[in-house]
Amino acid sequence: MWTFLRQRLQQHGWPRQIYYQQAWLGAPALLLVLLLAAEWDDKAVMVMAGAAFSTAFGAAHALGRSRWGAMTAACAGMALAGVTGSLIGGHGLPVFAVAALLTAVCAALSSYNSSWWWVTLQTVCAYLIAGYYPSDWQAALPRGGLMLAGGGIQILFTALTARFFTRHSPPLPAKPAQRLPANMLWRFSLAAAVAVTAALWMARHIGLSNDYWAAIAAVMILRPEAAATVSRSLHRMVGTVAGCALATLTVYLLHDSLPLMMLATTVSAATALAVQRAQYALLTAAISATIVFLFAIGHGDPLAATEHRIEATLLGGAAALVSGWLFGILGHNEKDRDSGQ
């Protein structure tokens, strides 16, 4: 029976390797950021912890000979995108134009270098989030500063942890870039840009709270292959529902205890870091749970956050699938790509 179950799970991509060292590298720093940010205000918690959490995934990457180069580049890119997104967030067309450009560049980089693709992806997400909070220089610059602080603390303590626990320090095995033929790369880049801008426009048009979640879902789901795009769409939906539901239930069981909420956030974030290459639904569940916990710590409504995130995932997934179909992405498969067709 166990042999049969294991074979069935492996057919669906279960289980892949879990990298526990990534949790050990990233989780302590995130807890420290939460403790420091809580001494300021709710905004600081959300911005600093969000930047630290995103930066923590960079420990799995390396840029050339720079062990912490991916984390540093992502932190700087997110801070710059945070300032830029806040400044133009209320200006309509420029918001979508910059989002489309950044997304197209991100999609194109996926065919050349996986680490630079990851760095650009964090920049795109930071820009989309910041655009939801339009402001002037007086508020945009502090936002960028909080992101630099959160990401900087994450980098510093991750490097210190790796220094004293050397067996946890190496980056994960490099993932080869998905080399695409030139015509396919152009179509994929355009499809990604259209999917993100369409998802963001629709989310804003219907007044969806945290509309950036829809655009982020679109850029995360769309892949050059049909099977991968459909699979990620389903896995993201399942993971989002499961992670949000579990986190929401946990929030109510903890009765707004801040220390326990911080502990739960750290555990869910550590889980996400450990399973980032294990299974996409599991990764999505852990990330969604972490986000709900952060909203609760920032005195947001976890139930509303769950509802909005599920709606945004459906919208973003639909935008990715439709855009992929329009640009011929969903008619493309792994065999075609490898044969250069």
Side-chain angles (χ1 to χ4, degrees), residues 205-237:
H205 183 70
I206 65 177
L208 182 65
S209 295
N210 307 107
D211 52 37
Y212 51 86
W213 281 340
I216 291 175
V219 73
M220 292 292 188
I221 289 171
L222 187 64
R223 286 295 179 267
E225 298 86 22
T229 300
V230 174
S231 174
R232 287 176 73 87
S233 179
L234 295 174
H235 285 184
R236 190 173 182 88
M237 191 66 238

mmCIF file of all heavy atoms in Angstrom, residues 205-237:
data_model
loop_
_atom_site.group_PDB
_atom_site.id
_atom_site.type_symbol
_atom_site.label_atom_id
_atom_site.label_comp_id
_atom_site.label_asym_id
_atom_site.label_seq_id
_atom_site.Cartn_x
_atom_site.Cartn_y
_atom_site.Cartn_z
ATOM 1 N N HIS A 205 -10.791 47.601 -11.628
ATOM 2 C CA HIS A 205 -12.097 47.947 -12.188
ATOM 3 C C HIS A 205 -13.238 47.446 -11.308
ATOM 4 O O HIS A 205 -14.254 48.138 -11.146
ATOM 5 C CB HIS A 205 -12.226 47.381 -13.596
ATOM 6 C CG HIS A 205 -13.509 47.753 -14.284
ATOM 7 N ND1 HIS A 205 -13.777 49.039 -14.706
ATOM 8 C CD2 HIS A 205 -14.602 47.000 -14.608
ATOM 9 C CE1 HIS A 205 -14.988 49.069 -15.256
ATOM 10 N NE2 HIS A 205 -15.492 47.850 -15.210
ATOM 11 N N ILE A 206 -13.078 46.260 -10.746
ATOM 12 C CA ILE A 206 -14.143 45.702 -9.897
ATOM 13 C C ILE A 206 -13.971 46.100 -8.435
ATOM 14 O O ILE A 206 -14.781 45.717 -7.586
ATOM 15 C CB ILE A 206 -14.210 44.167 -10.017
ATOM 16 C CG1 ILE A 206 -12.919 43.526 -9.478
ATOM 17 C CG2 ILE A 206 -14.462 43.750 -11.459
ATOM 18 C CD1 ILE A 206 -12.961 41.999 -9.498
ATOM 19 N N GLY A 207 -12.911 46.857 -8.139
ATOM 20 C CA GLY A 207 -12.707 47.329 -6.775
ATOM 21 C C GLY A 207 -12.222 46.258 -5.812
ATOM 22 O O GLY A 207 -12.537 46.304 -4.618
ATOM 23 N N LEU A 208 -11.437 45.303 -6.315
ATOM 24 C CA LEU A 208 -10.935 44.228 -5.466
ATOM 25 C C LEU A 208 -9.854 44.764 -4.526
ATOM 26 O O LEU A 208 -8.901 45.410 -4.958
ATOM 27 C CB LEU A 208 -10.351 43.110 -6.337
ATOM 28 C CG LEU A 208 -9.818 41.884 -5.607
ATOM 29 C CD1 LEU A 208 -10.945 41.151 -4.889
ATOM 30 C CD2 LEU A 208 -9.120 40.940 -6.585
ATOM 31 N N SER A 209 -10.024 44.517 -3.246
ATOM 32 C CA SER A 209 -9.016 44.938 -2.284
ATOM 33 C C SER A 209 -7.713 44.177 -2.529
ATOM 34 O O SER A 209 -7.729 43.017 -2.926
ATOM 35 C CB SER A 209 -9.499 44.680 -0.853
ATOM 36 O OG SER A 209 -10.624 45.478 -0.549
ATOM 37 N N ASN A 210 -6.589 44.873 -2.290
ATOM 38 C CA ASN A 210 -5.275 44.276 -2.550
ATOM 39 C C ASN A 210 -5.213 43.740 -3.971
ATOM 40 O O ASN A 210 -4.856 42.585 -4.220
ATOM 41 C CB ASN A 210 -4.972 43.163 -1.554
ATOM 42 C CG ASN A 210 -5.115 43.610 -0.097
ATOM 43 O OD1 ASN A 210 -6.059 43.232 0.585
ATOM 44 N ND2 ASN A 210 -4.192 44.449 0.358
ATOM 45 N N ASP A 211 -5.541 44.622 -4.925
ATOM 46 C CA ASP A 211 -5.640 44.215 -6.331
ATOM 47 C C ASP A 211 -4.334 43.655 -6.886
ATOM 48 O O ASP A 211 -4.335 42.893 -7.858
ATOM 49 C CB ASP A 211 -6.100 45.401 -7.185
ATOM 50 C CG ASP A 211 -5.262 46.662 -6.990
ATOM 51 O OD1 ASP A 211 -4.034 46.548 -6.818
ATOM 52 O OD2 ASP A 211 -5.837 47.773 -7.019
ATOM 53 N N TYR A 212 -3.210 44.017 -6.276
ATOM 54 C CA TYR A 212 -1.917 43.535 -6.759
ATOM 55 C C TYR A 212 -1.794 42.014 -6.673
ATOM 56 O O TYR A 212 -1.012 41.403 -7.402
ATOM 57 C CB TYR A 212 -0.772 44.188 -5.980
ATOM 58 C CG TYR A 212 -0.912 44.101 -4.471
ATOM 59 C CD1 TYR A 212 -0.468 42.992 -3.767
ATOM 60 C CD2 TYR A 212 -1.489 45.142 -3.744
ATOM 61 C CE1 TYR A 212 -0.587 42.909 -2.398
ATOM 62 C CE2 TYR A 212 -1.619 45.080 -2.369
ATOM 63 C CZ TYR A 212 -1.166 43.958 -1.693
ATOM 64 O OH TYR A 212 -1.302 43.877 -0.326
ATOM 65 N N TRP A 213 -2.568 41.379 -5.794
ATOM 66 C CA TRP A 213 -2.514 39.925 -5.697
ATOM 67 C C TRP A 213 -2.920 39.263 -7.014
ATOM 68 O O TRP A 213 -2.388 38.212 -7.379
ATOM 69 C CB TRP A 213 -3.424 39.438 -4.578
ATOM 70 C CG TRP A 213 -2.827 39.593 -3.213
ATOM 71 C CD1 TRP A 213 -1.506 39.743 -2.904
ATOM 72 C CD2 TRP A 213 -3.529 39.619 -1.972
ATOM 73 N NE1 TRP A 213 -1.339 39.859 -1.542
ATOM 74 C CE2 TRP A 213 -2.557 39.781 -0.950
ATOM 75 C CE3 TRP A 213 -4.877 39.515 -1.612
ATOM 76 C CZ2 TRP A 213 -2.900 39.843 0.403
ATOM 77 C CZ3 TRP A 213 -5.210 39.576 -0.276
ATOM 78 C CH2 TRP A 213 -4.235 39.743 0.727
ATOM 79 N N ALA A 214 -3.860 39.847 -7.729
ATOM 80 C CA ALA A 214 -4.289 39.285 -9.007
ATOM 81 C C ALA A 214 -3.162 39.349 -10.030
ATOM 82 O O ALA A 214 -2.896 38.385 -10.756
ATOM 83 C CB ALA A 214 -5.523 40.023 -9.525
ATOM 84 N N ALA A 215 -2.485 40.505 -10.099
ATOM 85 C CA ALA A 215 -1.382 40.661 -11.046
ATOM 86 C C ALA A 215 -0.217 39.745 -10.690
ATOM 87 O O ALA A 215 0.417 39.145 -11.572
ATOM 88 C CB ALA A 215 -0.923 42.115 -11.069
ATOM 89 N N ILE A 216 0.082 39.615 -9.398
ATOM 90 C CA ILE A 216 1.162 38.729 -8.972
ATOM 91 C C ILE A 216 0.829 37.283 -9.302
ATOM 92 O O ILE A 216 1.689 36.511 -9.742
ATOM 93 C CB ILE A 216 1.431 38.910 -7.466
ATOM 94 C CG1 ILE A 216 2.050 40.292 -7.212
ATOM 95 C CG2 ILE A 216 2.347 37.806 -6.941
ATOM 96 C CD1 ILE A 216 2.238 40.624 -5.750
ATOM 97 N N ALA A 217 -0.433 36.894 -9.107
ATOM 98 C CA ALA A 217 -0.840 35.533 -9.455
ATOM 99 C C ALA A 217 -0.636 35.267 -10.939
ATOM 100 O O ALA A 217 -0.179 34.187 -11.345
ATOM 101 C CB ALA A 217 -2.303 35.309 -9.069
ATOM 102 N N ALA A 218 -0.945 36.257 -11.773
ATOM 103 C CA ALA A 218 -0.794 36.091 -13.221
ATOM 104 C C ALA A 218 0.657 35.848 -13.603
ATOM 105 O O ALA A 218 0.968 34.946 -14.393
ATOM 106 C CB ALA A 218 -1.342 37.317 -13.951
ATOM 107 N N VAL A 219 1.580 36.646 -13.055
ATOM 108 C CA VAL A 219 2.985 36.502 -13.418
ATOM 109 C C VAL A 219 3.575 35.214 -12.848
ATOM 110 O O VAL A 219 4.497 34.627 -13.434
ATOM 111 C CB VAL A 219 3.797 37.733 -12.958
ATOM 112 C CG1 VAL A 219 4.007 37.753 -11.456
ATOM 113 C CG2 VAL A 219 5.143 37.790 -13.671
ATOM 114 N N MET A 220 3.057 34.746 -11.729
ATOM 115 C CA MET A 220 3.546 33.509 -11.140
ATOM 116 C C MET A 220 3.048 32.274 -11.885
ATOM 117 O O MET A 220 3.752 31.261 -11.979
ATOM 118 C CB MET A 220 3.103 33.425 -9.668
ATOM 119 C CG MET A 220 3.750 34.437 -8.762
ATOM 120 S SD MET A 220 5.520 34.116 -8.547
ATOM 121 C CE MET A 220 5.905 35.313 -7.273
ATOM 122 N N ILE A 221 1.843 32.340 -12.401
ATOM 123 C CA ILE A 221 1.217 31.170 -13.013
ATOM 124 C C ILE A 221 1.687 30.944 -14.441
ATOM 125 O O ILE A 221 1.958 29.801 -14.844
ATOM 126 C CB ILE A 221 -0.318 31.302 -12.963
ATOM 127 C CG1 ILE A 221 -0.812 31.130 -11.524
ATOM 128 C CG2 ILE A 221 -0.998 30.308 -13.902
ATOM 129 C CD1 ILE A 221 -2.275 31.453 -11.336
ATOM 130 N N LEU A 222 1.777 32.005 -15.237
ATOM 131 C CA LEU A 222 2.069 31.842 -16.664
ATOM 132 C C LEU A 222 3.466 31.285 -16.881
ATOM 133 O O LEU A 222 4.447 31.801 -16.363
ATOM 134 C CB LEU A 222 1.925 33.180 -17.383
ATOM 135 C CG LEU A 222 2.034 33.115 -18.913
ATOM 136 C CD1 LEU A 222 0.888 32.279 -19.498
ATOM 137 C CD2 LEU A 222 2.024 34.521 -19.516
ATOM 138 N N ARG A 223 3.556 30.233 -17.683
ATOM 139 C CA ARG A 223 4.806 29.594 -18.052
ATOM 140 C C ARG A 223 4.813 29.345 -19.560
ATOM 141 O O ARG A 223 3.766 29.348 -20.197
ATOM 142 C CB ARG A 223 4.991 28.283 -17.289
ATOM 143 C CG ARG A 223 5.346 28.458 -15.828
ATOM 144 C CD ARG A 223 6.707 29.128 -15.686
ATOM 145 N NE ARG A 223 7.093 29.355 -14.297
ATOM 146 C CZ ARG A 223 6.864 30.459 -13.624
ATOM 147 N NH1 ARG A 223 6.193 31.451 -14.209
ATOM 148 N NH2 ARG A 223 7.279 30.615 -12.389
ATOM 149 N N PRO A 224 5.989 29.118 -20.139
ATOM 150 C CA PRO A 224 6.043 28.929 -21.588
ATOM 151 C C PRO A 224 5.355 27.665 -22.083
ATOM 152 O O PRO A 224 5.059 27.547 -23.264
ATOM 153 C CB PRO A 224 7.556 28.858 -21.884
ATOM 154 C CG PRO A 224 8.207 29.506 -20.729
ATOM 155 C CD PRO A 224 7.340 29.206 -19.556
ATOM 156 N N GLU A 225 5.128 26.694 -21.190
ATOM 157 C CA GLU A 225 4.495 25.447 -21.600
ATOM 158 C C GLU A 225 3.046 25.388 -21.109
ATOM 159 O O GLU A 225 2.726 25.850 -20.016
ATOM 160 C CB GLU A 225 5.249 24.226 -21.050
ATOM 161 C CG GLU A 225 6.669 24.101 -21.545
ATOM 162 C CD GLU A 225 7.627 24.896 -20.684
ATOM 163 O OE1 GLU A 225 7.285 25.178 -19.517
ATOM 164 O OE2 GLU A 225 8.700 25.271 -21.190
ATOM 165 N N ALA A 226 2.202 24.774 -21.921
ATOM 166 C CA ALA A 226 0.779 24.680 -21.590
ATOM 167 C C ALA A 226 0.556 23.890 -20.313
ATOM 168 O O ALA A 226 -0.169 24.314 -19.411
ATOM 169 C CB ALA A 226 0.025 24.036 -22.753
ATOM 170 N N ALA A 227 1.201 22.718 -20.231
ATOM 171 C CA ALA A 227 0.980 21.851 -19.070
ATOM 172 C C ALA A 227 1.414 22.533 -17.784
ATOM 173 O O ALA A 227 0.734 22.447 -16.757
ATOM 174 C CB ALA A 227 1.731 20.532 -19.253
ATOM 175 N N ALA A 228 2.559 23.227 -17.821
ATOM 176 C CA ALA A 228 3.062 23.901 -16.629
ATOM 177 C C ALA A 228 2.135 25.032 -16.205
ATOM 178 O O ALA A 228 1.894 25.245 -15.014
ATOM 179 C CB ALA A 228 4.470 24.436 -16.884
ATOM 180 N N THR A 229 1.596 25.778 -17.164
ATOM 181 C CA THR A 229 0.696 26.889 -16.849
ATOM 182 C C THR A 229 -0.592 26.386 -16.206
ATOM 183 O O THR A 229 -1.036 26.911 -15.178
ATOM 184 C CB THR A 229 0.367 27.696 -18.117
ATOM 185 O OG1 THR A 229 1.571 28.225 -18.668
ATOM 186 C CG2 THR A 229 -0.585 28.837 -17.807
ATOM 187 N N VAL A 230 -1.196 25.378 -16.791
ATOM 188 C CA VAL A 230 -2.440 24.824 -16.236
ATOM 189 C C VAL A 230 -2.189 24.212 -14.869
ATOM 190 O O VAL A 230 -2.967 24.405 -13.924
ATOM 191 C CB VAL A 230 -3.040 23.784 -17.200
ATOM 192 C CG1 VAL A 230 -4.253 23.111 -16.566
ATOM 193 C CG2 VAL A 230 -3.424 24.441 -18.522
ATOM 194 N N SER A 231 -1.072 23.478 -14.729
ATOM 195 C CA SER A 231 -0.752 22.844 -13.457
ATOM 196 C C SER A 231 -0.531 23.876 -12.357
ATOM 197 O O SER A 231 -1.050 23.746 -11.242
ATOM 198 C CB SER A 231 0.503 21.977 -13.619
ATOM 199 O OG SER A 231 0.921 21.453 -12.377
ATOM 200 N N ARG A 232 0.230 24.922 -12.665
ATOM 201 C CA ARG A 232 0.488 25.950 -11.660
ATOM 202 C C ARG A 232 -0.785 26.700 -11.294
ATOM 203 O O ARG A 232 -0.960 27.114 -10.145
ATOM 204 C CB ARG A 232 1.548 26.932 -12.169
ATOM 205 C CG ARG A 232 2.952 26.347 -12.175
ATOM 206 C CD ARG A 232 3.950 27.308 -12.772
ATOM 207 N NE ARG A 232 4.238 28.424 -11.895
ATOM 208 C CZ ARG A 232 5.172 28.424 -10.945
ATOM 209 N NH1 ARG A 232 5.891 27.340 -10.730
ATOM 210 N NH2 ARG A 232 5.384 29.495 -10.206
ATOM 211 N N SER A 233 -1.685 26.880 -12.247
ATOM 212 C CA SER A 233 -2.950 27.537 -11.966
ATOM 213 C C SER A 233 -3.755 26.736 -10.942
ATOM 214 O O SER A 233 -4.274 27.288 -9.964
ATOM 215 C CB SER A 233 -3.746 27.707 -13.257
ATOM 216 O OG SER A 233 -4.989 28.317 -12.998
ATOM 217 N N LEU A 234 -3.838 25.431 -11.159
ATOM 218 C CA LEU A 234 -4.588 24.570 -10.240
ATOM 219 C C LEU A 234 -3.895 24.489 -8.880
ATOM 220 O O LEU A 234 -4.549 24.591 -7.830
ATOM 221 C CB LEU A 234 -4.748 23.180 -10.843
ATOM 222 C CG LEU A 234 -5.595 23.092 -12.121
ATOM 223 C CD1 LEU A 234 -5.553 21.680 -12.688
ATOM 224 C CD2 LEU A 234 -7.039 23.514 -11.839
ATOM 225 N N HIS A 235 -2.576 24.305 -8.899
ATOM 226 C CA HIS A 235 -1.837 24.182 -7.645
ATOM 227 C C HIS A 235 -1.899 25.472 -6.834
ATOM 228 O O HIS A 235 -1.993 25.432 -5.599
ATOM 229 C CB HIS A 235 -0.384 23.819 -7.941
ATOM 230 C CG HIS A 235 -0.203 22.394 -8.352
ATOM 231 N ND1 HIS A 235 1.032 21.832 -8.593
ATOM 232 C CD2 HIS A 235 -1.100 21.411 -8.572
ATOM 233 C CE1 HIS A 235 0.897 20.571 -8.940
ATOM 234 N NE2 HIS A 235 -0.395 20.294 -8.942
ATOM 235 N N ARG A 236 -1.829 26.606 -7.508
ATOM 236 C CA ARG A 236 -1.890 27.876 -6.789
ATOM 237 C C ARG A 236 -3.262 28.075 -6.151
ATOM 238 O O ARG A 236 -3.363 28.578 -5.028
ATOM 239 C CB ARG A 236 -1.549 29.044 -7.715
ATOM 240 C CG ARG A 236 -1.351 30.359 -6.950
ATOM 241 C CD ARG A 236 -0.838 31.467 -7.850
ATOM 242 N NE ARG A 236 -0.624 32.681 -7.099
ATOM 243 C CZ ARG A 236 0.504 33.013 -6.466
ATOM 244 N NH1 ARG A 236 1.538 32.202 -6.523
ATOM 245 N NH2 ARG A 236 0.601 34.157 -5.788
ATOM 246 N N MET A 237 -4.301 27.665 -6.843
ATOM 247 C CA MET A 237 -5.633 27.810 -6.284
ATOM 248 C C MET A 237 -5.803 26.917 -5.055
ATOM 249 O O MET A 237 -6.285 27.367 -4.004
ATOM 250 C CB MET A 237 -6.680 27.429 -7.348
ATOM 251 C CG MET A 237 -8.114 27.789 -6.961
ATOM 252 S SD MET A 237 -8.361 29.570 -6.854
ATOM 253 C CE MET A 237 -8.909 29.740 -5.171
#
